Amino acid sequence: MALEHAILVSLAERSASGYDLARRFDASIGHFWKASHQQIYKVLARMEADGWVSTERVSQGARPDKKVHAITETGHAELLAWSARPTPAEAVRSEFAVRIRALHLIDRATVLGAVRDRRQQHEDALAGYEASRRKYFADPAELADDEIGPYLALRGGIRLERNGIDWCDEIIETLGQR
Amino acid sequence: MALEHAILVSLAERSASGYDLARRFDASIGHFWKASHQQIYKVLARMEADGWVSTERVSQGARPDKKVHAITETGHAELLAWSARPTPAEAVRSEFAVRIRALHLIDRATVLGAVRDRRQQHEDALAGYEASRRKYFADPAELADDEIGPYLALRGGIRLERNGIDWCDEIIETLGQR
DNA sequence: TTCTTCATGTAATTGGTTACATGATTAT
DNA sequence: ATAATCATGTAACCAATTACATGAAGAA
């Protein structure tokens, strides 16, 4: 009950094929919501059946046809209804945190390796976010109305990665002292 | 392929019934991994079949019998094997972030309400973590070997909630300026 | 008398992953 | 030659949620 809405948000910004959406979910939107192409196609079919999106088949000569999906009136209404519902608590599932909690049960060096790996992943993700920020939001004081959301979401991503790096550093430092 | 391991970690600390585990997953471990009792009973049955845990039925007079589960040698071996496998990237699914990204599509006041709610949730969770820290880790310089993991995990929780609060504040402030 | 705690589950459904499938075009 | 990109899906399976079920003890 939420991939639907992430897709609606993405289609409200710009109509797209399932393939396009899958790429978006690998990039921008995907920072907050991951989805595979198989899943997207399945959900898209249901959304079409529910009348949330309309579908237009576009032939492109050589390349395979694509189905371009656009959000409908009904889809917009659903977006509003969704936004008015209370945000459910998020399912927390951090295998990394479970490993940290299990520190004394497993090999110290192995854990340290995992922490360093994860620190690097955060570092990479952060670099990507920072690049987006420089590219799309050079001057945060001058944001158009429809840019505030994406900007604040990006800020959330940046904060999350920095926070992850800091935690990794604390773990490495604490373990280094013993 | 991971609730199993969270359960193993919990049972390695202390043997427990499914009911006990469900309560732990509502408290300590549950900060990093949520699980319902139905799910726990199901997984526990599979773990018993795989020989990861042993089960002893304990009658308690008036109260219903309970099945106390303990980690086995095989279970410990599996924990070690699991810890040596690379940590898979975590599935990110933040409905809150999707809502923030969709800011311009939905009602401003509604979003602000959701942000304030969420800030309060973070505040409450933080208060709980801080209480645990004071209660169990009064002096972080004097940690026993088997306390470092739980302590560092708790620190991760504290950082996460603080970070969430800061992000909410940034959102509220940015929206207040327009 | 109603609610909460203790204690265990089954059944149905939804959501998501993994594996498999096809086929042309363009870049290395 | 080989791999990647474009474009769409089906099928099987696993994980997780929701709803339903039972029953006694003790607290409000």
Side-chain angles (χ1 to χ4, degrees), chain A residues 97-105, chain B residues 6-16 21 24 28-29 32 69-71 76 79 137 146-151 153:
Chain A
V98 174
R99 276 167 202 243
I100 295 303
R101 202 174 195 283
L103 243 172
H104 62 290
L105 299 168
Chain B
I7 290 177
L8 283 180
V9 171
S10 195
L11 290 181
E13 286 173 3
R14 201 163 62 257
S15 297
L21 283 169
R24 286 187 204 168
S28 53
I29 280 267
F32 320 111
H69 306 277
I71 187 168
H76 260 116
L79 245 184
F137 309 104
D146 61 351
E147 287 176 329
I148 310 172
Y151 171 74

PDB file of all heavy atoms in Angstrom, chain A residues 97-105, chain B residues 6-16 21 24 28-29 32 69-71 76 79 137 146-151 153:
ATOM      1  N   ALA A  97      22.575  -3.250  12.235  1.00  0.00           N
ATOM      2  CA  ALA A  97      22.440  -2.989  13.672  1.00  0.00           C
ATOM      3  C   ALA A  97      22.382  -4.292  14.466  1.00  0.00           C
ATOM      4  O   ALA A  97      22.942  -4.381  15.558  1.00  0.00           O
ATOM      5  CB  ALA A  97      21.193  -2.137  13.936  1.00  0.00           C
ATOM      6  N   VAL A  98      21.729  -5.308  13.900  1.00  0.00           N
ATOM      7  CA  VAL A  98      21.678  -6.599  14.588  1.00  0.00           C
ATOM      8  C   VAL A  98      23.096  -7.156  14.732  1.00  0.00           C
ATOM      9  O   VAL A  98      23.469  -7.693  15.771  1.00  0.00           O
ATOM     10  CB  VAL A  98      20.757  -7.595  13.846  1.00  0.00           C
ATOM     11  CG1 VAL A  98      20.822  -8.971  14.471  1.00  0.00           C
ATOM     12  CG2 VAL A  98      19.316  -7.106  13.845  1.00  0.00           C
ATOM     13  N   ARG A  99      23.895  -6.997  13.684  1.00  0.00           N
ATOM     14  CA  ARG A  99      25.283  -7.469  13.750  1.00  0.00           C
ATOM     15  C   ARG A  99      26.080  -6.725  14.815  1.00  0.00           C
ATOM     16  O   ARG A  99      26.863  -7.317  15.555  1.00  0.00           O
ATOM     17  CB  ARG A  99      25.977  -7.277  12.395  1.00  0.00           C
ATOM     18  CG  ARG A  99      25.705  -8.418  11.442  1.00  0.00           C
ATOM     19  CD  ARG A  99      26.141  -8.045  10.038  1.00  0.00           C
ATOM     20  NE  ARG A  99      25.440  -8.872   9.079  1.00  0.00           N
ATOM     21  CZ  ARG A  99      26.049  -9.722   8.259  1.00  0.00           C
ATOM     22  NH1 ARG A  99      27.350  -9.826   8.256  1.00  0.00           N
ATOM     23  NH2 ARG A  99      25.346 -10.447   7.427  1.00  0.00           N
ATOM     24  N   ILE A 100      25.855  -5.418  14.874  1.00  0.00           N
ATOM     25  CA  ILE A 100      26.572  -4.628  15.886  1.00  0.00           C
ATOM     26  C   ILE A 100      26.172  -5.089  17.280  1.00  0.00           C
ATOM     27  O   ILE A 100      27.006  -5.295  18.152  1.00  0.00           O
ATOM     28  CB  ILE A 100      26.272  -3.119  15.714  1.00  0.00           C
ATOM     29  CG1 ILE A 100      26.830  -2.611  14.388  1.00  0.00           C
ATOM     30  CG2 ILE A 100      26.850  -2.310  16.867  1.00  0.00           C
ATOM     31  CD1 ILE A 100      28.307  -2.823  14.201  1.00  0.00           C
ATOM     32  N   ARG A 101      24.884  -5.325  17.457  1.00  0.00           N
ATOM     33  CA  ARG A 101      24.416  -5.776  18.761  1.00  0.00           C
ATOM     34  C   ARG A 101      25.008  -7.137  19.112  1.00  0.00           C
ATOM     35  O   ARG A 101      25.197  -7.468  20.276  1.00  0.00           O
ATOM     36  CB  ARG A 101      22.890  -5.866  18.751  1.00  0.00           C
ATOM     37  CG  ARG A 101      22.311  -5.808  20.149  1.00  0.00           C
ATOM     38  CD  ARG A 101      20.812  -5.755  20.115  1.00  0.00           C
ATOM     39  NE  ARG A 101      20.266  -5.354  21.392  1.00  0.00           N
ATOM     40  CZ  ARG A 101      20.171  -6.154  22.448  1.00  0.00           C
ATOM     41  NH1 ARG A 101      20.580  -7.394  22.381  1.00  0.00           N
ATOM     42  NH2 ARG A 101      19.661  -5.701  23.576  1.00  0.00           N
ATOM     43  N   ALA A 102      25.322  -7.930  18.102  1.00  0.00           N
ATOM     44  CA  ALA A 102      25.843  -9.287  18.321  1.00  0.00           C
ATOM     45  C   ALA A 102      27.358  -9.326  18.387  1.00  0.00           C
ATOM     46  O   ALA A 102      27.969 -10.396  18.366  1.00  0.00           O
ATOM     47  CB  ALA A 102      25.347 -10.202  17.204  1.00  0.00           C
ATOM     48  N   LEU A 103      27.971  -8.156  18.477  1.00  0.00           N
ATOM     49  CA  LEU A 103      29.428  -8.015  18.476  1.00  0.00           C
ATOM     50  C   LEU A 103      30.198  -9.090  19.261  1.00  0.00           C
ATOM     51  O   LEU A 103      31.140  -9.685  18.751  1.00  0.00           O
ATOM     52  CB  LEU A 103      29.781  -6.656  19.075  1.00  0.00           C
ATOM     53  CG  LEU A 103      30.491  -5.659  18.178  1.00  0.00           C
ATOM     54  CD1 LEU A 103      30.583  -4.322  18.857  1.00  0.00           C
ATOM     55  CD2 LEU A 103      31.858  -6.193  17.816  1.00  0.00           C
ATOM     56  N   HIS A 104      29.798  -9.315  20.501  1.00  0.00           N
ATOM     57  CA  HIS A 104      30.572 -10.220  21.357  1.00  0.00           C
ATOM     58  C   HIS A 104      30.386 -11.680  20.972  1.00  0.00           C
ATOM     59  O   HIS A 104      31.096 -12.542  21.461  1.00  0.00           O
ATOM     60  CB  HIS A 104      30.186 -10.003  22.819  1.00  0.00           C
ATOM     61  CG  HIS A 104      28.743 -10.304  23.109  1.00  0.00           C
ATOM     62  ND1 HIS A 104      27.722  -9.516  22.642  1.00  0.00           N
ATOM     63  CD2 HIS A 104      28.167 -11.306  23.797  1.00  0.00           C
ATOM     64  CE1 HIS A 104      26.565 -10.027  23.052  1.00  0.00           C
ATOM     65  NE2 HIS A 104      26.804 -11.111  23.754  1.00  0.00           N
ATOM     66  N   LEU A 105      29.400 -11.948  20.109  1.00  0.00           N
ATOM     67  CA  LEU A 105      29.148 -13.344  19.721  1.00  0.00           C
ATOM     68  C   LEU A 105      29.912 -13.728  18.473  1.00  0.00           C
ATOM     69  O   LEU A 105      30.008 -14.895  18.131  1.00  0.00           O
ATOM     70  CB  LEU A 105      27.652 -13.552  19.455  1.00  0.00           C
ATOM     71  CG  LEU A 105      26.702 -13.293  20.630  1.00  0.00           C
ATOM     72  CD1 LEU A 105      25.274 -13.264  20.136  1.00  0.00           C
ATOM     73  CD2 LEU A 105      26.892 -14.377  21.694  1.00  0.00           C
TER      74      LEU A 105
ATOM     75  N   ALA B   6      18.303 -12.543  13.946  1.00  0.00           N
ATOM     76  CA  ALA B   6      17.978 -11.655  15.063  1.00  0.00           C
ATOM     77  C   ALA B   6      17.509 -12.499  16.254  1.00  0.00           C
ATOM     78  O   ALA B   6      17.876 -12.237  17.404  1.00  0.00           O
ATOM     79  CB  ALA B   6      16.907 -10.649  14.646  1.00  0.00           C
ATOM     80  N   ILE B   7      16.728 -13.534  15.963  1.00  0.00           N
ATOM     81  CA  ILE B   7      16.260 -14.434  17.032  1.00  0.00           C
ATOM     82  C   ILE B   7      17.436 -15.187  17.653  1.00  0.00           C
ATOM     83  O   ILE B   7      17.529 -15.317  18.877  1.00  0.00           O
ATOM     84  CB  ILE B   7      15.187 -15.413  16.494  1.00  0.00           C
ATOM     85  CG1 ILE B   7      13.888 -14.656  16.186  1.00  0.00           C
ATOM     86  CG2 ILE B   7      14.919 -16.530  17.496  1.00  0.00           C
ATOM     87  CD1 ILE B   7      12.778 -15.513  15.588  1.00  0.00           C
ATOM     88  N   LEU B   8      18.347 -15.662  16.815  1.00  0.00           N
ATOM     89  CA  LEU B   8      19.522 -16.367  17.333  1.00  0.00           C
ATOM     90  C   LEU B   8      20.318 -15.469  18.278  1.00  0.00           C
ATOM     91  O   LEU B   8      20.744 -15.904  19.354  1.00  0.00           O
ATOM     92  CB  LEU B   8      20.429 -16.845  16.183  1.00  0.00           C
ATOM     93  CG  LEU B   8      19.984 -18.086  15.401  1.00  0.00           C
ATOM     94  CD1 LEU B   8      20.988 -18.412  14.308  1.00  0.00           C
ATOM     95  CD2 LEU B   8      19.787 -19.290  16.315  1.00  0.00           C
ATOM     96  N   VAL B   9      20.512 -14.224  17.873  1.00  0.00           N
ATOM     97  CA  VAL B   9      21.257 -13.285  18.710  1.00  0.00           C
ATOM     98  C   VAL B   9      20.548 -13.121  20.057  1.00  0.00           C
ATOM     99  O   VAL B   9      21.174 -13.179  21.126  1.00  0.00           O
ATOM    100  CB  VAL B   9      21.404 -11.909  18.014  1.00  0.00           C
ATOM    101  CG1 VAL B   9      21.983 -10.871  18.967  1.00  0.00           C
ATOM    102  CG2 VAL B   9      22.286 -12.029  16.776  1.00  0.00           C
ATOM    103  N   SER B  10      19.241 -12.969  19.991  1.00  0.00           N
ATOM    104  CA  SER B  10      18.473 -12.777  21.212  1.00  0.00           C
ATOM    105  C   SER B  10      18.527 -14.016  22.113  1.00  0.00           C
ATOM    106  O   SER B  10      18.700 -13.905  23.327  1.00  0.00           O
ATOM    107  CB  SER B  10      17.022 -12.442  20.854  1.00  0.00           C
ATOM    108  OG  SER B  10      16.344 -11.919  21.967  1.00  0.00           O
ATOM    109  N   LEU B  11      18.432 -15.200  21.509  1.00  0.00           N
ATOM    110  CA  LEU B  11      18.487 -16.436  22.295  1.00  0.00           C
ATOM    111  C   LEU B  11      19.886 -16.710  22.834  1.00  0.00           C
ATOM    112  O   LEU B  11      20.034 -17.349  23.881  1.00  0.00           O
ATOM    113  CB  LEU B  11      18.009 -17.633  21.461  1.00  0.00           C
ATOM    114  CG  LEU B  11      16.514 -17.684  21.130  1.00  0.00           C
ATOM    115  CD1 LEU B  11      16.204 -18.936  20.317  1.00  0.00           C
ATOM    116  CD2 LEU B  11      15.664 -17.643  22.395  1.00  0.00           C
ATOM    117  N   ALA B  12      20.900 -16.221  22.132  1.00  0.00           N
ATOM    118  CA  ALA B  12      22.271 -16.401  22.617  1.00  0.00           C
ATOM    119  C   ALA B  12      22.473 -15.615  23.906  1.00  0.00           C
ATOM    120  O   ALA B  12      23.242 -16.021  24.779  1.00  0.00           O
ATOM    121  CB  ALA B  12      23.267 -15.966  21.546  1.00  0.00           C
ATOM    122  N   GLU B  13      21.781 -14.497  24.002  1.00  0.00           N
ATOM    123  CA  GLU B  13      21.852 -13.709  25.236  1.00  0.00           C
ATOM    124  C   GLU B  13      21.133 -14.414  26.377  1.00  0.00           C
ATOM    125  O   GLU B  13      21.621 -14.474  27.492  1.00  0.00           O
ATOM    126  CB  GLU B  13      21.268 -12.308  25.010  1.00  0.00           C
ATOM    127  CG  GLU B  13      22.211 -11.416  24.192  1.00  0.00           C
ATOM    128  CD  GLU B  13      21.588 -10.075  23.810  1.00  0.00           C
ATOM    129  OE1 GLU B  13      20.443  -9.790  24.215  1.00  0.00           O
ATOM    130  OE2 GLU B  13      22.246  -9.314  23.073  1.00  0.00           O
ATOM    131  N   ARG B  14      19.947 -14.952  26.059  1.00  0.00           N
ATOM    132  CA  ARG B  14      19.174 -15.670  27.071  1.00  0.00           C
ATOM    133  C   ARG B  14      18.071 -16.474  26.398  1.00  0.00           C
ATOM    134  O   ARG B  14      17.379 -15.964  25.521  1.00  0.00           O
ATOM    135  CB  ARG B  14      18.553 -14.687  28.077  1.00  0.00           C
ATOM    136  CG  ARG B  14      18.185 -15.331  29.410  1.00  0.00           C
ATOM    137  CD  ARG B  14      17.971 -14.318  30.545  1.00  0.00           C
ATOM    138  NE  ARG B  14      16.879 -13.393  30.312  1.00  0.00           N
ATOM    139  CZ  ARG B  14      17.025 -12.111  29.923  1.00  0.00           C
ATOM    140  NH1 ARG B  14      18.227 -11.614  29.728  1.00  0.00           N
ATOM    141  NH2 ARG B  14      15.979 -11.343  29.759  1.00  0.00           N
ATOM    142  N   SER B  15      17.904 -17.729  26.826  1.00  0.00           N
ATOM    143  CA  SER B  15      16.849 -18.578  26.290  1.00  0.00           C
ATOM    144  C   SER B  15      15.485 -17.948  26.569  1.00  0.00           C
ATOM    145  O   SER B  15      15.336 -17.218  27.545  1.00  0.00           O
ATOM    146  CB  SER B  15      16.907 -19.964  26.918  1.00  0.00           C
ATOM    147  OG  SER B  15      18.132 -20.582  26.581  1.00  0.00           O
ATOM    148  N   ALA B  16      14.522 -18.254  25.708  1.00  0.00           N
ATOM    149  CA  ALA B  16      13.224 -17.594  25.856  1.00  0.00           C
ATOM    150  C   ALA B  16      12.124 -18.349  25.140  1.00  0.00           C
ATOM    151  O   ALA B  16      12.393 -19.158  24.244  1.00  0.00           O
ATOM    152  CB  ALA B  16      13.313 -16.177  25.307  1.00  0.00           C
ATOM    153  N   LEU B  21      10.174 -13.657  23.322  1.00  0.00           N
ATOM    154  CA  LEU B  21      10.835 -13.064  22.163  1.00  0.00           C
ATOM    155  C   LEU B  21       9.984 -11.945  21.566  1.00  0.00           C
ATOM    156  O   LEU B  21      10.503 -10.885  21.226  1.00  0.00           O
ATOM    157  CB  LEU B  21      11.122 -14.127  21.101  1.00  0.00           C
ATOM    158  CG  LEU B  21      12.316 -15.037  21.392  1.00  0.00           C
ATOM    159  CD1 LEU B  21      12.338 -16.206  20.412  1.00  0.00           C
ATOM    160  CD2 LEU B  21      13.630 -14.262  21.294  1.00  0.00           C
ATOM    161  N   ARG B  24      10.527  -8.990  23.544  1.00  0.00           N
ATOM    162  CA  ARG B  24      11.844  -8.381  23.290  1.00  0.00           C
ATOM    163  C   ARG B  24      11.836  -7.627  21.961  1.00  0.00           C
ATOM    164  O   ARG B  24      12.444  -6.579  21.831  1.00  0.00           O
ATOM    165  CB  ARG B  24      12.931  -9.461  23.221  1.00  0.00           C
ATOM    166  CG  ARG B  24      13.277 -10.030  24.576  1.00  0.00           C
ATOM    167  CD  ARG B  24      14.478 -10.953  24.464  1.00  0.00           C
ATOM    168  NE  ARG B  24      14.483 -11.924  25.556  1.00  0.00           N
ATOM    169  CZ  ARG B  24      15.253 -12.984  25.603  1.00  0.00           C
ATOM    170  NH1 ARG B  24      16.101 -13.225  24.603  1.00  0.00           N
ATOM    171  NH2 ARG B  24      15.212 -13.806  26.619  1.00  0.00           N
ATOM    172  N   SER B  28      13.918  -3.856  23.206  1.00  0.00           N
ATOM    173  CA  SER B  28      15.324  -3.701  22.811  1.00  0.00           C
ATOM    174  C   SER B  28      15.638  -4.051  21.352  1.00  0.00           C
ATOM    175  O   SER B  28      15.892  -3.163  20.539  1.00  0.00           O
ATOM    176  CB  SER B  28      16.214  -4.513  23.749  1.00  0.00           C
ATOM    177  OG  SER B  28      15.774  -5.858  23.804  1.00  0.00           O
ATOM    178  N   ILE B  29      15.613  -5.321  21.019  1.00  0.00           N
ATOM    179  CA  ILE B  29      15.963  -5.747  19.662  1.00  0.00           C
ATOM    180  C   ILE B  29      15.044  -5.098  18.632  1.00  0.00           C
ATOM    181  O   ILE B  29      15.447  -4.764  17.523  1.00  0.00           O
ATOM    182  CB  ILE B  29      15.848  -7.291  19.531  1.00  0.00           C
ATOM    183  CG1 ILE B  29      17.069  -7.988  20.111  1.00  0.00           C
ATOM    184  CG2 ILE B  29      15.673  -7.715  18.085  1.00  0.00           C
ATOM    185  CD1 ILE B  29      18.172  -8.282  19.128  1.00  0.00           C
ATOM    186  N   PHE B  32      15.643  -2.261  16.126  1.00  0.00           N
ATOM    187  CA  PHE B  32      16.356  -2.446  14.855  1.00  0.00           C
ATOM    188  C   PHE B  32      15.706  -3.492  13.966  1.00  0.00           C
ATOM    189  O   PHE B  32      16.083  -3.683  12.823  1.00  0.00           O
ATOM    190  CB  PHE B  32      17.807  -2.846  15.117  1.00  0.00           C
ATOM    191  CG  PHE B  32      18.399  -2.098  16.246  1.00  0.00           C
ATOM    192  CD1 PHE B  32      18.706  -2.721  17.443  1.00  0.00           C
ATOM    193  CD2 PHE B  32      18.610  -0.735  16.127  1.00  0.00           C
ATOM    194  CE1 PHE B  32      19.221  -2.000  18.502  1.00  0.00           C
ATOM    195  CE2 PHE B  32      19.119  -0.005  17.179  1.00  0.00           C
ATOM    196  CZ  PHE B  32      19.430  -0.642  18.373  1.00  0.00           C
ATOM    197  N   HIS B  69      12.948 -21.938  24.328  1.00  0.00           N
ATOM    198  CA  HIS B  69      13.878 -22.229  23.250  1.00  0.00           C
ATOM    199  C   HIS B  69      15.294 -21.797  23.626  1.00  0.00           C
ATOM    200  O   HIS B  69      15.476 -20.727  24.174  1.00  0.00           O
ATOM    201  CB  HIS B  69      13.466 -21.491  21.982  1.00  0.00           C
ATOM    202  CG  HIS B  69      12.049 -21.755  21.587  1.00  0.00           C
ATOM    203  ND1 HIS B  69      11.676 -22.871  20.877  1.00  0.00           N
ATOM    204  CD2 HIS B  69      10.921 -21.069  21.844  1.00  0.00           C
ATOM    205  CE1 HIS B  69      10.365 -22.840  20.689  1.00  0.00           C
ATOM    206  NE2 HIS B  69       9.881 -21.759  21.265  1.00  0.00           N
ATOM    207  N   ALA B  70      16.260 -22.669  23.306  1.00  0.00           N
ATOM    208  CA  ALA B  70      17.664 -22.339  23.558  1.00  0.00           C
ATOM    209  C   ALA B  70      18.456 -22.540  22.273  1.00  0.00           C
ATOM    210  O   ALA B  70      18.122 -23.397  21.454  1.00  0.00           O
ATOM    211  CB  ALA B  70      18.214 -23.226  24.666  1.00  0.00           C
ATOM    212  N   ILE B  71      19.488 -21.729  22.103  1.00  0.00           N
ATOM    213  CA  ILE B  71      20.320 -21.870  20.901  1.00  0.00           C
ATOM    214  C   ILE B  71      21.182 -23.129  21.025  1.00  0.00           C
ATOM    215  O   ILE B  71      21.664 -23.454  22.114  1.00  0.00           O
ATOM    216  CB  ILE B  71      21.174 -20.596  20.677  1.00  0.00           C
ATOM    217  CG1 ILE B  71      21.916 -20.657  19.330  1.00  0.00           C
ATOM    218  CG2 ILE B  71      22.161 -20.388  21.819  1.00  0.00           C
ATOM    219  CD1 ILE B  71      22.522 -19.317  18.925  1.00  0.00           C
ATOM    220  N   HIS B  76      24.699 -21.759  16.920  1.00  0.00           N
ATOM    221  CA  HIS B  76      25.878 -20.912  17.072  1.00  0.00           C
ATOM    222  C   HIS B  76      26.718 -20.903  15.799  1.00  0.00           C
ATOM    223  O   HIS B  76      27.210 -19.855  15.379  1.00  0.00           O
ATOM    224  CB  HIS B  76      26.738 -21.397  18.249  1.00  0.00           C
ATOM    225  CG  HIS B  76      26.522 -20.597  19.482  1.00  0.00           C
ATOM    226  ND1 HIS B  76      25.980 -21.130  20.648  1.00  0.00           N
ATOM    227  CD2 HIS B  76      26.732 -19.282  19.745  1.00  0.00           C
ATOM    228  CE1 HIS B  76      25.887 -20.175  21.555  1.00  0.00           C
ATOM    229  NE2 HIS B  76      26.333 -19.051  21.038  1.00  0.00           N
ATOM    230  N   LEU B  79      25.157 -18.703  13.332  1.00  0.00           N
ATOM    231  CA  LEU B  79      25.402 -17.293  13.659  1.00  0.00           C
ATOM    232  C   LEU B  79      26.749 -16.840  13.115  1.00  0.00           C
ATOM    233  O   LEU B  79      26.881 -15.758  12.535  1.00  0.00           O
ATOM    234  CB  LEU B  79      25.395 -17.114  15.179  1.00  0.00           C
ATOM    235  CG  LEU B  79      24.292 -16.268  15.789  1.00  0.00           C
ATOM    236  CD1 LEU B  79      24.489 -16.110  17.274  1.00  0.00           C
ATOM    237  CD2 LEU B  79      24.220 -14.915  15.121  1.00  0.00           C
ATOM    238  N   PHE B 137      23.969   1.766  30.958  1.00  0.00           N
ATOM    239  CA  PHE B 137      25.338   2.128  30.590  1.00  0.00           C
ATOM    240  C   PHE B 137      25.735   3.445  31.237  1.00  0.00           C
ATOM    241  O   PHE B 137      26.168   4.387  30.553  1.00  0.00           O
ATOM    242  CB  PHE B 137      25.472   2.224  29.068  1.00  0.00           C
ATOM    243  CG  PHE B 137      24.957   1.015  28.345  1.00  0.00           C
ATOM    244  CD1 PHE B 137      23.732   1.040  27.687  1.00  0.00           C
ATOM    245  CD2 PHE B 137      25.698  -0.169  28.333  1.00  0.00           C
ATOM    246  CE1 PHE B 137      23.260  -0.086  27.029  1.00  0.00           C
ATOM    247  CE2 PHE B 137      25.215  -1.303  27.667  1.00  0.00           C
ATOM    248  CZ  PHE B 137      23.995  -1.255  27.019  1.00  0.00           C
ATOM    249  N   ASP B 146      30.692  -8.080  26.780  1.00  0.00           N
ATOM    250  CA  ASP B 146      29.417  -8.395  26.131  1.00  0.00           C
ATOM    251  C   ASP B 146      28.423  -7.233  26.191  1.00  0.00           C
ATOM    252  O   ASP B 146      27.267  -7.386  25.820  1.00  0.00           O
ATOM    253  CB  ASP B 146      28.806  -9.673  26.738  1.00  0.00           C
ATOM    254  CG  ASP B 146      28.522  -9.516  28.225  1.00  0.00           C
ATOM    255  OD1 ASP B 146      28.957  -8.495  28.812  1.00  0.00           O
ATOM    256  OD2 ASP B 146      27.875 -10.404  28.788  1.00  0.00           O
ATOM    257  N   GLU B 147      28.899  -6.080  26.658  1.00  0.00           N
ATOM    258  CA  GLU B 147      28.011  -4.909  26.686  1.00  0.00           C
ATOM    259  C   GLU B 147      28.303  -3.940  25.546  1.00  0.00           C
ATOM    260  O   GLU B 147      27.483  -3.064  25.258  1.00  0.00           O
ATOM    261  CB  GLU B 147      28.172  -4.154  28.020  1.00  0.00           C
ATOM    262  CG  GLU B 147      27.557  -4.861  29.213  1.00  0.00           C
ATOM    263  CD  GLU B 147      27.827  -4.112  30.511  1.00  0.00           C
ATOM    264  OE1 GLU B 147      28.892  -3.450  30.625  1.00  0.00           O
ATOM    265  OE2 GLU B 147      26.978  -4.187  31.408  1.00  0.00           O
ATOM    266  N   ILE B 148      29.491  -4.078  24.931  1.00  0.00           N
ATOM    267  CA  ILE B 148      29.874  -3.120  23.889  1.00  0.00           C
ATOM    268  C   ILE B 148      28.885  -3.117  22.725  1.00  0.00           C
ATOM    269  O   ILE B 148      28.458  -2.062  22.267  1.00  0.00           O
ATOM    270  CB  ILE B 148      31.281  -3.429  23.332  1.00  0.00           C
ATOM    271  CG1 ILE B 148      32.268  -3.607  24.478  1.00  0.00           C
ATOM    272  CG2 ILE B 148      31.752  -2.293  22.429  1.00  0.00           C
ATOM    273  CD1 ILE B 148      33.609  -4.100  24.012  1.00  0.00           C
ATOM    274  N   GLY B 149      28.516  -4.324  22.268  1.00  0.00           N
ATOM    275  CA  GLY B 149      27.578  -4.423  21.149  1.00  0.00           C
ATOM    276  C   GLY B 149      26.259  -3.724  21.457  1.00  0.00           C
ATOM    277  O   GLY B 149      25.879  -2.781  20.744  1.00  0.00           O
ATOM    278  N   PRO B 150      25.575  -4.147  22.524  1.00  0.00           N
ATOM    279  CA  PRO B 150      24.324  -3.479  22.873  1.00  0.00           C
ATOM    280  C   PRO B 150      24.492  -1.973  23.060  1.00  0.00           C
ATOM    281  O   PRO B 150      23.637  -1.202  22.648  1.00  0.00           O
ATOM    282  CB  PRO B 150      23.922  -4.166  24.184  1.00  0.00           C
ATOM    283  CG  PRO B 150      24.492  -5.539  24.057  1.00  0.00           C
ATOM    284  CD  PRO B 150      25.787  -5.375  23.320  1.00  0.00           C
ATOM    285  N   TYR B 151      25.616  -1.562  23.659  1.00  0.00           N
ATOM    286  CA  TYR B 151      25.845  -0.127  23.857  1.00  0.00           C
ATOM    287  C   TYR B 151      25.960   0.606  22.518  1.00  0.00           C
ATOM    288  O   TYR B 151      25.305   1.625  22.293  1.00  0.00           O
ATOM    289  CB  TYR B 151      27.101   0.109  24.697  1.00  0.00           C
ATOM    290  CG  TYR B 151      27.517   1.560  24.764  1.00  0.00           C
ATOM    291  CD1 TYR B 151      26.804   2.468  25.542  1.00  0.00           C
ATOM    292  CD2 TYR B 151      28.606   2.034  24.028  1.00  0.00           C
ATOM    293  CE1 TYR B 151      27.150   3.811  25.580  1.00  0.00           C
ATOM    294  CE2 TYR B 151      28.967   3.380  24.060  1.00  0.00           C
ATOM    295  CZ  TYR B 151      28.240   4.266  24.842  1.00  0.00           C
ATOM    296  OH  TYR B 151      28.580   5.597  24.871  1.00  0.00           O
ATOM    297  N   ALA B 153      24.886  -0.349  19.621  1.00  0.00           N
ATOM    298  CA  ALA B 153      23.605  -0.392  18.919  1.00  0.00           C
ATOM    299  C   ALA B 153      22.684   0.707  19.446  1.00  0.00           C
ATOM    300  O   ALA B 153      22.030   1.419  18.677  1.00  0.00           O
ATOM    301  CB  ALA B 153      22.960  -1.763  19.099  1.00  0.00           C
TER     302      ALA B 153
END
